[in-house]
Amino acid sequence: MGNDTQRTARIRRLPLRPLSAAAVLCLAAGAGALTGTGATATTGTAAPAAAAYESSPVGFASMNGGTTGGAGGTTVTVTTASQLTDYASRSGSYVIKVNASISLSSMTKVTSNKTIIGVGTAGKITGYGLNVTNAKNVIIRNLTFTGSADDAINVQYSTNVWIDHNDLSNAYDGLVDIKRASDYATVSWNHFHNHDKTALLGHSDDNSSEDLGHLRVTYVHNWFDKTTQRHPRVRFGNPVHVFNNYYGAVTSYGVASTCNAGVFVEKNYFENVKNPTVTQTGDSPDGNIKADGNYLTGSGGIATRNSSSVASIPYSYSAESASSVKSTVTAGAGVGKVS
């Protein structure tokens, strides 16, 4: 826990290398040298840029049987808090379409085999957020979350969760917090903005008994826009994969690895970010970071630590060149892009 901005990050600046800007197939990507300001570093074989609108998740949520949410179940449209609360907490498979601005009076429980998806740009959640707890196979997509008196989205004791194409801002606590032995999650194409403690991964420094061997999460194609810290802030998880995200005007740090976590920070675009990565924050002990092919402009250097201890990424994927990530993500992240 603690204040993530209390202590100075340990930064190691790495030399500028004039390497190719081609997109790559990344399964075998190594630790790789990092870039200097305004340059790119990539390795491997050229691959097409990623598609903006996946119909199924990239990364960890594609594993462990996959994440399909309420597919094959009953489809309902909700416009009130009571309807949303009712259907989200039912047993069985549901696709819940949110077609209104709904103000919740408390955190709303989401059970297994649910898709909660906004209609066009109409789906909006205010007041409180969604609590995915003791659940499996949940999709939260195409919703605007703002003004929660707690978290916008909280995930705990849950597996196979896909959080995709949402707009999240101005919660009291976290925007997307994943903790307490949760596993096999993907956070993709979300627009995070105007917030402090953005995306926590791992409950607390003393929760290793629950979290070791879990907290495997992919963060891909997210837009962190005028946010402060935790993009994500990781404890214990290994590997955690952070790739092809755009960081714009982040005021404290980008990615933090603590509590001996293992984070692979790959081909992200950091613009005007003082500390793109840190290996310690708050009162937490050091974590480990491996980095490759990131693009830095107006930003500080990349901190890495014990790269060899970061576990290999266990799924196949393609990553685009970091230099093109800003245009891809700003065009594709947020609501109104999927149906």
Side-chain angles (χ1 to χ4, degrees):
M1 305 295 282
N3 184 350
D4 287 350
T5 60
Q6 284 178 342
R7 294 172 58 179
T8 302
R10 296 175 185 137
I11 301 292
R12 178 165 64 89
R13 297 181 181 273
L14 298 178
L16 177 66
R17 291 192 176 188
L19 299 179
S20 168
V24 298
L25 289 173
C26 306
L27 244 189
L34 273 292
T35 69
T37 299
T40 60
T42 59
T43 58
T45 304
Y53 315 119
E54 293 91 358
S55 59
S56 60
V58 171
F60 278 112
S62 70
M63 302 183 69
N64 192 41
T67 303
T68 57
T74 302
T75 297
V76 296
T77 298
V78 300
T79 58
T80 68
S82 59
Q83 290 172 338
L84 175 59
T85 301
D86 176 20
Y87 285 113
S89 62
R90 289 189 183 191
S91 61
S93 299
Y94 284 86
V95 176
I96 303 166
K97 296 185 174 183
V98 180
N99 195 23
S101 180
I102 295 176
S103 179
L104 299 174
S105 59
S106 63
M107 293 296 288
T108 293
K109 182 177 174 64
V110 180
T111 58
S112 297
N113 304 312
K114 301 294 183 294
T115 296
I116 304 179
I117 184 168
V119 176
T121 59
K124 186 175 182 179
I125 307 294
T126 66
Y128 280 84
L130 301 180
N131 188 22
V132 183
T133 184
N134 294 302
K136 182 176 182 179
N137 190 31
V138 171
I139 296 172
I140 299 172
R141 203 172 196 207
N142 197 43
L143 291 165
T144 296
F145 293 84
T146 191
S148 173
D150 199 319
D151 294 333
I153 301 172
N154 179 63
V155 179
Q156 59 184 11
Y157 302 118
S158 296
T159 59
N160 290 93
V161 178
W162 185 25
I163 299 169
D164 178 72
H165 274 103
N166 300 291
D167 183 290
L168 304 108
S169 65
N170 292 313
Y172 175 77
D173 196 2
L175 293 179
V176 174
D177 284 2
I178 301 174
K179 56 196 180 185
R180 294 190 179 279
S182 294
D183 215 355
Y184 297 109
T186 294
V187 179
S188 59
W189 295 106
N190 300 289
H191 184 195
F192 297 91
H193 59 99
N194 302 101
H195 190 74
D196 180 13
K197 298 176 180 179
T198 306
L200 178 70
L201 180 56
H203 175 62
S204 64
D205 292 356
D206 59 3
N207 204 48
S208 62
S209 61
E210 288 185 333
D211 287 341
L212 280 173
H214 302 287
L215 301 180
R216 287 167 287 194
V217 180
T218 302
Y219 297 85
V220 55
H221 288 127
N222 298 292
W223 181 5
F224 300 106
D225 178 17
K226 302 181 186 69
T227 48
T228 304
Q229 58 187 320
R230 301 187 178 182
H231 313 93
R233 188 250 207 257
V234 183
R235 296 179 172 102
F236 302 114
N238 188 15
V240 174
H241 194 192
V242 181
F243 80 100
N244 280 173
N245 301 284
Y246 170 50
Y247 295 79
V250 167
T251 56
S252 179
Y253 65 80
V255 181
S257 178
T258 69
C259 297
N260 206 38
V263 185
F264 186 21
V265 180
E266 181 183 19
K267 296 179 177 62
N268 301 283
Y269 191 117
F270 294 97
E271 184 171 21
N272 300 323
V273 181
K274 181 178 180 182
N275 300 312
T277 64
V278 299
T279 60
Q280 189 283 324
T281 189
D283 299 322
S284 301
D286 293 308
N288 306 308
I289 291 177
K290 178 172 74 173
D292 179 64
N294 297 286
Y295 185 96
L296 307 173
T297 180
S299 298
I302 297 282
T304 60
R305 179 176 184 268
N306 296 339
S307 295
S308 62
S309 71
V310 178
S312 299
I313 302 303
Y315 48 80
S316 299
Y317 66 99
S318 295
E320 65 182 292
S321 170
S323 62
S324 64
V325 163
K326 177 179 178 179
S327 60
T328 298
V329 169
T330 55
V335 299
K337 315 292 183 179
V338 295
S339 58

